[in-house]
Amino acid sequence: MIVFDKHHVIAHANEGVDAVRRAEMRLGSAATRAALKGSRWVWLKNTVNLTDKQRAAHERLESRHPLTGKARQMRLV
């Protein structure tokens, strides 16, 4: 029998989101790197646990960085 527990599924999804964020930083321009720097936890935290400042940063980042935003949406689903 194969068993998937929620903790490990979310951990693997978070690793995927972080890998996309890192790739986007590595391949992006200096402005992209500056915008994504320090945003790791904004992408990995649950939406309900974000502070107001983090929520505003997430909304701004999600519209400017569609690849990482799409990876995060896949994690949430």
Side-chain angles (χ1 to χ4, degrees):
M1 179 184 340
I2 298 175
V3 178
F4 297 101
D5 67 296
K6 183 179 177 179
H7 170 76
H8 288 99
V9 171
I10 295 298
H12 285 295
N14 281 341
E15 288 173 9
V17 172
D18 199 40
V20 172
R21 181 190 62 85
R22 287 178 185 205
E24 200 166 7
M25 281 185 70
R26 189 173 45 251
L27 300 174
S29 64
T32 299
R33 286 191 296 275
L36 287 173
K37 184 176 180 175
S39 69
R40 179 178 185 200
W41 296 111
V42 171
W43 295 108
L44 299 181
K45 283 177 78 172
N46 288 330
T47 307
V48 296
N49 296 331
L50 293 173
T51 64
D52 291 337
K53 183 178 176 181
Q54 289 173 330
R55 189 170 283 115
H58 174 261
E59 290 172 4
R60 185 182 73 249
L61 289 169
E62 192 169 34
S63 64
R64 292 183 184 168
H65 305 287
L67 294 177
T68 307
K70 184 175 182 179
R72 184 173 191 278
Q73 287 300 318
M74 292 170 78
R75 174 212 177 258
L76 293 175
V77 172

